[in-house]
Each structure stands twice: as C-alpha cells, then as structure tokens.
Amino acid sequence: MRAIRIARPARRRHRLEPPVLRADGRLDARDAAAARRIAARLNEGRDAAQAQPVGAGEVTALAVLDAILHRVVEREVAAGRANLAGAATAARRHVGADAVAEVGRAWRRDFGDGATERGPAGPRLLAELLVLAALNEDAAAATVRELVDDRPMRDGSRYEPVVLAAEAALGGRAPRAPGAVPAAAAGPHLPLPAQLREPMIHAPGSLLDQLRWIRDHWVDLVAADAALFERLNLALDVLAEEARALELRSRHFGGPLPVETPDYSGLDPEHEAFSADTEWMPRVVLMAKSTYVWLEQLARRFERPVSNLADVPDEELDRLAHLGVTGIWLIGLWQRSRASAEVKRRRGDADAVASAYSIDEYRIADDLGGEAAFEALKWRAWERGIRIAADMVPNHMGLDSRWVIEHPEWFISRPDSPYPAYSFNGPDLSSDPGVEITLEDHYGDSSDAAVVFRRRDRGSGEQRFIYHGNDGTSFPWNDTAQLDYLRADVREAVIQTILGVARRSPIIRFDAAMVLARRHIR
C-alpha cells in the first residue's frame, strides 16, 4: 500500500525525522499516531503566529487522498486508458528533453528517496508529478499543503509546463459538471487528469466531504481494496471526531451538538424481555442514600456509633417503613478505588473519599462491614417490606481496579499516547507492586481533560494507554478505565458481575444503562 511522500523542505523545517516520520520520509495512512505527531510538530509555531491549526485528521486525509489518486492512475494505466510513457514523450517533445530532465532532478531533490527511476521522466515519475499537482490545487488541503508543497519546484524548474504538456497528452483536465454523479467507479470516459481532480470539484471546501464523495462514488475503486478501504474509513472517523470536538469547543460546555441520525438497520432486532414483577415494582417508593453520609447522620441522630451497615438502627428502618418507603438505594456500597481518593486529595480536597463509581471490586466495602453486614441490614429491612437497591456501573471500573491490574486487555487502550503533547510524570497511583499507574500531567493543572492514563507493567515494561471511562455524553471521568465491549470475554465478565449484584440485591440501578445496548456500542 502506497505511503505518501512528505516534502523534504517540510521535513527539515518541522524536524520530521524518526520516530515522528518513517526513515524514508513517507507517511502510511494507517499510522494515526504518526499523523498526530506530525500535526503536533506543524502546530508548534502556529499558535504564536495565530495561524489555523492542523488536525491529525487532515494529515491522515491527505495521505489517504494521495493513495487513492495513485490507485486511480494505476487503474487507468492497467485499463489502457492512460498512456504515461506516451505522455512523457509528448512532454519532452513539447517542452524539451532538458526541461523534463530538470523537473525530474527537482522532484528527486524535494521528494525522492532513490526508489523512483532516475534519468529522463518516465511513467513512474510522471505518475508522481500528476498526483502531486492535483494535491497542490486542492483548496481544502491548504492547512497541510506544505507537506506536499510543489512551489519550490515551480520556482526552480520547468515543472508546470511539463505537467501541463503531459496532462494535455492524456486528455486534459476538463471536469465533469459539479454535482453530476458518475455512472461507475471514477467516471468512465473522463481523462485521467480530470479524474484526479473530481473529488475537489464535487466537494471543494472539505477533505471530509471529498473522502465521503470518493466512498460514495468511487465504490469499485476503494471497495475492491480492503487495505485502502480501511485507510479511507480511518481518515473519515478521525476527521469526523475532530469536527465534532471543534463544534463542542465553539459552544458553551454542555451546549447542544448537531443532531446525528445513526443507521441501525444492520443490527438484529432486540426484544424487551423484562419480567413484569407487577406485584411489587409499580409500587416501589425508592429513597436514595449516600451510604457513608447516611451512616454519619444516623450516628449523630441516635448518638451512638453507626460504623457499618450492620449498625443501622432498627428505629430508622421502622421510621422509613412508616413513611411508606419500600426501597432504599444505597449509593456507594462497593469496594472503591484507592487511587480515586488519592487523585482528589492531590487536587486539594483533603477530606475527599473515593468516588462511589470508581470501583475496585464488586464486593461490599470493607469499611462498611463487608458482605456479612450488608446481609444483616438487607434482611432486617426485608422484614419491614423494604428492598435494598444497589448500583452497577457497566462501562468502567476504577483506574487501579483488580481488572486493570489483572486484565488490562479488557479495557480500551492503545500502545502509544493518543496525543503527542501528553506526558505521564506524576505519582504512581497503583497499590500493586507489579504495575505502575500514572495520570496525564495536564489533568493536575486543569489544562486538559486527560483522555487516557498510562499503565506500565514493571516486569515486562509493557505500556498501555488506557482510556478513562466515558458514557458518550460528557468528558472523561479521570478515576476510571473504560471497558472494551467489543471483546466477548469482557461482555461475559460484566454479565457475571451483574448476576452477582442481582443475587445480593433485588433492585439494581444501572449507572448509564444505555451502555449495555448494542446500539450504544455501535
């Protein structure tokens, strides 16, 4: 699969050497991490100059567009509709052999790596020149043009006359009318130079729209090549995510976002299969209690120690039953993350406890008296017609939970940091000697939401950058780790956890229940 050649002047100007870029000066469109590193380098001087920033999606899209246009050239040559050797000969005849040779030297100076033929411009070099010229005319790629900038060649050689002569020999650039739909693939009977400009003619203002147009109209070209199709979809995903983030930043936090209408037609129907429980469920009167706060309040009111669940006075249960309460939702029953409390304390809250939803394990917390104390309270409440409700959080665990320590593969992660500017030099939040867990440094000074944290295995040195929990409606919760529901073993582990909660509690409150639906995962 083709990898785009990055202009040597841009590589020098922005220090795009390994590991930022491949040693041969090329970028593979699959390498989203390299695209992020390149975008970060390009942006280093743009903030001070108040220039428009570059997104990793634009870098990825440029690489994909380059690969697609080269595939168009290959197809037209293979089909006999484009004679590149004849076009090169025509250019030499029209502009002069010396001028063509000069252009070849200029291209090798700015883009070559020794792999493309030397000497007079032949078919392979002409293919590079044709695609390069088309990319440089794309107004939607203006922010990343310097990666493929052909202006030094225009200034220092007869590049433009050579390209125009070759294009004329291939049939010219005459485009199809904007908005016209090609009958198939990349437009039969359209000259190669015009085909190379079709995406920008039909979607002139947006790389995202150009790639969507290619996906919709050049179906035969991209769908027949799984690797190319994968890269196209990757670029579309990254561009769409960046556009959504930009929209969010341009509005007040929590403000409305553009409505999206997903298509679920490819999913199997899901039929509700809840038990009716009509003898009690419609009449539940549920009272929520933050468990630790409630125990403290009870101790003050009754002027005696109420240190765990077994100590809840019968008088309190009688009072709630008399009021008509038939369910008590105890928030924060489970063993919580130690790191969650540590993060809050380091942020300045000396009295903070861990979040009720940053869970270490689904067992009743030790300082609430454990399982025995819970069972004692549950049965005393049941004698008074009160059911105990418990939380279950389907989509995440605490960032230092047993699952993170023992099954890091169960969480959404990547081997490299998603943002080049992220750093992980803070304190180790893990209580396990074999694993180090560190938050992203910018979370500490509130300058970033910190999308991932770093988990490092002390024995093997393996690093994973694990995504913090997020239900898709807000920013990440920085004391949690997001489960990967695409894995069957994760789905099974969550199912067994739900059953374990159900055996303890007749009422379960699912935090962000929609994450259990296949449509939400999609």
PDB file of all heavy atoms in Angstrom, residues 505-519:
ATOM      1  N   SER A 505     -28.997  -8.121  45.633  1.00  0.00           N
ATOM      2  CA  SER A 505     -29.941  -7.016  45.703  1.00  0.00           C
ATOM      3  C   SER A 505     -31.094  -7.235  44.744  1.00  0.00           C
ATOM      4  O   SER A 505     -30.868  -7.480  43.558  1.00  0.00           O
ATOM      5  CB  SER A 505     -29.221  -5.708  45.351  1.00  0.00           C
ATOM      6  OG  SER A 505     -30.129  -4.655  45.186  1.00  0.00           O
ATOM      7  N   PRO A 506     -32.348  -7.125  45.220  1.00  0.00           N
ATOM      8  CA  PRO A 506     -33.492  -7.337  44.330  1.00  0.00           C
ATOM      9  C   PRO A 506     -33.741  -6.185  43.368  1.00  0.00           C
ATOM     10  O   PRO A 506     -34.487  -6.334  42.417  1.00  0.00           O
ATOM     11  CB  PRO A 506     -34.664  -7.494  45.298  1.00  0.00           C
ATOM     12  CG  PRO A 506     -34.243  -6.746  46.518  1.00  0.00           C
ATOM     13  CD  PRO A 506     -32.759  -6.923  46.622  1.00  0.00           C
ATOM     14  N   ILE A 507     -33.121  -5.033  43.623  1.00  0.00           N
ATOM     15  CA  ILE A 507     -33.263  -3.881  42.725  1.00  0.00           C
ATOM     16  C   ILE A 507     -31.866  -3.431  42.324  1.00  0.00           C
ATOM     17  O   ILE A 507     -31.002  -3.210  43.176  1.00  0.00           O
ATOM     18  CB  ILE A 507     -33.998  -2.700  43.400  1.00  0.00           C
ATOM     19  CG1 ILE A 507     -35.387  -3.132  43.889  1.00  0.00           C
ATOM     20  CG2 ILE A 507     -34.118  -1.535  42.430  1.00  0.00           C
ATOM     21  CD1 ILE A 507     -36.104  -2.048  44.673  1.00  0.00           C
ATOM     22  N   ILE A 508     -31.630  -3.341  41.017  1.00  0.00           N
ATOM     23  CA  ILE A 508     -30.336  -2.855  40.521  1.00  0.00           C
ATOM     24  C   ILE A 508     -30.580  -1.537  39.805  1.00  0.00           C
ATOM     25  O   ILE A 508     -31.483  -1.419  38.977  1.00  0.00           O
ATOM     26  CB  ILE A 508     -29.683  -3.841  39.537  1.00  0.00           C
ATOM     27  CG1 ILE A 508     -29.478  -5.199  40.194  1.00  0.00           C
ATOM     28  CG2 ILE A 508     -28.344  -3.296  39.052  1.00  0.00           C
ATOM     29  CD1 ILE A 508     -28.877  -6.232  39.247  1.00  0.00           C
ATOM     30  N   ARG A 509     -29.775  -0.539  40.132  1.00  0.00           N
ATOM     31  CA  ARG A 509     -29.784   0.722  39.395  1.00  0.00           C
ATOM     32  C   ARG A 509     -28.528   0.734  38.531  1.00  0.00           C
ATOM     33  O   ARG A 509     -27.416   0.746  39.036  1.00  0.00           O
ATOM     34  CB  ARG A 509     -29.796   1.903  40.367  1.00  0.00           C
ATOM     35  CG  ARG A 509     -29.821   3.265  39.665  1.00  0.00           C
ATOM     36  CD  ARG A 509     -28.432   3.839  39.585  1.00  0.00           C
ATOM     37  NE  ARG A 509     -28.395   5.133  38.908  1.00  0.00           N
ATOM     38  CZ  ARG A 509     -27.297   5.851  38.733  1.00  0.00           C
ATOM     39  NH1 ARG A 509     -26.144   5.408  39.208  1.00  0.00           N
ATOM     40  NH2 ARG A 509     -27.334   6.989  38.107  1.00  0.00           N
ATOM     41  N   PHE A 510     -28.720   0.676  37.207  1.00  0.00           N
ATOM     42  CA  PHE A 510     -27.584   0.698  36.289  1.00  0.00           C
ATOM     43  C   PHE A 510     -27.176   2.141  36.016  1.00  0.00           C
ATOM     44  O   PHE A 510     -27.986   2.940  35.535  1.00  0.00           O
ATOM     45  CB  PHE A 510     -27.932   0.000  34.972  1.00  0.00           C
ATOM     46  CG  PHE A 510     -27.973  -1.488  35.086  1.00  0.00           C
ATOM     47  CD1 PHE A 510     -29.182  -2.159  35.090  1.00  0.00           C
ATOM     48  CD2 PHE A 510     -26.809  -2.212  35.202  1.00  0.00           C
ATOM     49  CE1 PHE A 510     -29.223  -3.532  35.196  1.00  0.00           C
ATOM     50  CE2 PHE A 510     -26.835  -3.596  35.315  1.00  0.00           C
ATOM     51  CZ  PHE A 510     -28.049  -4.254  35.313  1.00  0.00           C
ATOM     52  N   ASP A 511     -25.952   2.462  36.325  1.00  0.00           N
ATOM     53  CA  ASP A 511     -25.408   3.783  36.017  1.00  0.00           C
ATOM     54  C   ASP A 511     -25.096   3.823  34.522  1.00  0.00           C
ATOM     55  O   ASP A 511     -24.325   2.995  34.040  1.00  0.00           O
ATOM     56  CB  ASP A 511     -24.141   4.020  36.838  1.00  0.00           C
ATOM     57  CG  ASP A 511     -23.604   5.422  36.663  1.00  0.00           C
ATOM     58  OD1 ASP A 511     -24.203   6.338  37.232  1.00  0.00           O
ATOM     59  OD2 ASP A 511     -22.598   5.585  35.962  1.00  0.00           O
ATOM     60  N   ALA A 512     -25.706   4.774  33.809  1.00  0.00           N
ATOM     61  CA  ALA A 512     -25.540   4.858  32.353  1.00  0.00           C
ATOM     62  C   ALA A 512     -25.954   3.531  31.701  1.00  0.00           C
ATOM     63  O   ALA A 512     -25.176   2.872  31.024  1.00  0.00           O
ATOM     64  CB  ALA A 512     -24.116   5.220  31.982  1.00  0.00           C
ATOM     65  N   ALA A 513     -27.213   3.164  31.931  1.00  0.00           N
ATOM     66  CA  ALA A 513     -27.699   1.855  31.479  1.00  0.00           C
ATOM     67  C   ALA A 513     -27.620   1.676  29.972  1.00  0.00           C
ATOM     68  O   ALA A 513     -27.517   0.547  29.483  1.00  0.00           O
ATOM     69  CB  ALA A 513     -29.141   1.662  31.948  1.00  0.00           C
ATOM     70  N   MET A 514     -27.625   2.799  29.227  1.00  0.00           N
ATOM     71  CA  MET A 514     -27.641   2.673  27.769  1.00  0.00           C
ATOM     72  C   MET A 514     -26.379   2.008  27.232  1.00  0.00           C
ATOM     73  O   MET A 514     -26.371   1.490  26.117  1.00  0.00           O
ATOM     74  CB  MET A 514     -27.833   4.037  27.098  1.00  0.00           C
ATOM     75  CG  MET A 514     -26.683   5.004  27.233  1.00  0.00           C
ATOM     76  SD  MET A 514     -26.636   5.753  28.875  1.00  0.00           S
ATOM     77  CE  MET A 514     -25.512   7.115  28.578  1.00  0.00           C
ATOM     78  N   VAL A 515     -25.307   2.000  28.026  1.00  0.00           N
ATOM     79  CA  VAL A 515     -24.068   1.408  27.513  1.00  0.00           C
ATOM     80  C   VAL A 515     -24.168  -0.105  27.385  1.00  0.00           C
ATOM     81  O   VAL A 515     -23.290  -0.733  26.795  1.00  0.00           O
ATOM     82  CB  VAL A 515     -22.859   1.781  28.403  1.00  0.00           C
ATOM     83  CG1 VAL A 515     -22.712   3.280  28.503  1.00  0.00           C
ATOM     84  CG2 VAL A 515     -22.962   1.153  29.789  1.00  0.00           C
ATOM     85  N   LEU A 516     -25.226  -0.701  27.926  1.00  0.00           N
ATOM     86  CA  LEU A 516     -25.425  -2.138  27.770  1.00  0.00           C
ATOM     87  C   LEU A 516     -26.074  -2.493  26.431  1.00  0.00           C
ATOM     88  O   LEU A 516     -26.137  -3.661  26.066  1.00  0.00           O
ATOM     89  CB  LEU A 516     -26.303  -2.677  28.909  1.00  0.00           C
ATOM     90  CG  LEU A 516     -25.660  -2.683  30.292  1.00  0.00           C
ATOM     91  CD1 LEU A 516     -26.684  -3.031  31.350  1.00  0.00           C
ATOM     92  CD2 LEU A 516     -24.505  -3.661  30.335  1.00  0.00           C
ATOM     93  N   ALA A 517     -26.559  -1.498  25.711  1.00  0.00           N
ATOM     94  CA  ALA A 517     -27.258  -1.757  24.458  1.00  0.00           C
ATOM     95  C   ALA A 517     -26.283  -1.822  23.297  1.00  0.00           C
ATOM     96  O   ALA A 517     -25.366  -1.013  23.188  1.00  0.00           O
ATOM     97  CB  ALA A 517     -28.295  -0.665  24.205  1.00  0.00           C
ATOM     98  N   ARG A 518     -26.493  -2.780  22.410  1.00  0.00           N
ATOM     99  CA  ARG A 518     -25.626  -2.910  21.240  1.00  0.00           C
ATOM    100  C   ARG A 518     -25.645  -1.637  20.396  1.00  0.00           C
ATOM    101  O   ARG A 518     -24.645  -1.265  19.784  1.00  0.00           O
ATOM    102  CB  ARG A 518     -26.072  -4.096  20.389  1.00  0.00           C
ATOM    103  CG  ARG A 518     -25.641  -5.438  20.956  1.00  0.00           C
ATOM    104  CD  ARG A 518     -26.157  -6.563  20.101  1.00  0.00           C
ATOM    105  NE  ARG A 518     -27.605  -6.658  20.201  1.00  0.00           N
ATOM    106  CZ  ARG A 518     -28.347  -7.464  19.433  1.00  0.00           C
ATOM    107  NH1 ARG A 518     -27.759  -8.203  18.518  1.00  0.00           N
ATOM    108  NH2 ARG A 518     -29.651  -7.524  19.585  1.00  0.00           N
ATOM    109  N   ARG A 519     -26.784  -0.968  20.359  1.00  0.00           N
ATOM    110  CA  ARG A 519     -26.869   0.240  19.543  1.00  0.00           C
ATOM    111  C   ARG A 519     -25.985   1.345  20.112  1.00  0.00           C
ATOM    112  O   ARG A 519     -25.450   2.156  19.359  1.00  0.00           O
ATOM    113  CB  ARG A 519     -28.327   0.693  19.448  1.00  0.00           C
ATOM    114  CG  ARG A 519     -29.181  -0.326  18.715  1.00  0.00           C
ATOM    115  CD  ARG A 519     -30.621   0.123  18.576  1.00  0.00           C
ATOM    116  NE  ARG A 519     -31.387  -0.880  17.846  1.00  0.00           N
ATOM    117  CZ  ARG A 519     -32.649  -0.729  17.487  1.00  0.00           C
ATOM    118  NH1 ARG A 519     -33.269   0.399  17.771  1.00  0.00           N
ATOM    119  NH2 ARG A 519     -33.278  -1.670  16.837  1.00  0.00           N
TER     120      ARG A 519
END
